[in-house]
Amino acid sequence: VQLMESGGGEVLAGGSLKLSCTASEFVFGDCKMAWYRQAPGKERELVSSITVLGITNYADFARGRFTISHDKTDGTLYLQMNSLQFEDTAMYYCAADRTDFSGGRYFCRDATDFGYWGPGTRVTVTV
């Protein structure tokens, strides 16, 4: 199973972007998922996460500007980013819960870490 992000690009400060994350198979409809980012020369950091019940969590820098959502019908994860700042420039990665495969289907583990990662989509904010 592979994740793939899309929606990145270059935007002026103050602008908006909406990132999407899709899976090669319908696996993550009932899994917790998250967005991370990594800026040049910095460590990867959590942007936002969403649980199976739809409970969301945001990093301080994202709260009030970013909105995470998860379409359970097709498993697509979104990140709406508004009021983008130069400091938001980074590679953005989606992540999904670890899974077990049994009886021909996947089950989410609700693990403490994420087992699937996309290759990332680049967001560049210019001033």
Side-chain angles (χ1 to χ4, degrees), residues 28-107:
F28 305 113
D30 290 316
C31 295
K32 66 179 183 183
M33 299 187 73
W35 288 98
Y36 282 77
R37 73 182 188 183
Q38 186 167 20
K42 296 186 178 181
E43 294 187 354
R44 186 175 61 190
E45 60 182 350
L46 176 68
V47 176
S48 181
S49 63
I50 186 166
T51 70
V52 173
L53 298 179
I55 299 171
T56 57
N57 177 57
Y58 295 93
D60 287 344
F61 63 78
R63 192 171 295 112
R65 298 189 299 131
F66 296 0
T67 302
I68 191 171
S69 59
H70 187 199
D71 185 340
K72 291 181 174 296
T73 62
D74 64 6
T76 302
L77 183 71
Y78 299 98
L79 184 69
Q80 175 68 47
M81 304 188 295
N82 299 327
S83 302
L84 283 163
Q85 304 166 359
F86 176 76
E87 294 75 20
D88 296 317
T89 295
M91 284 291 287
Y92 284 72
Y93 302 90
C94 75
D97 194 6
R98 294 186 179 276
T99 61
D100 294 309
F101 187 75
S102 176
R105 58 163 292 184
Y106 289 89
F107 295 87

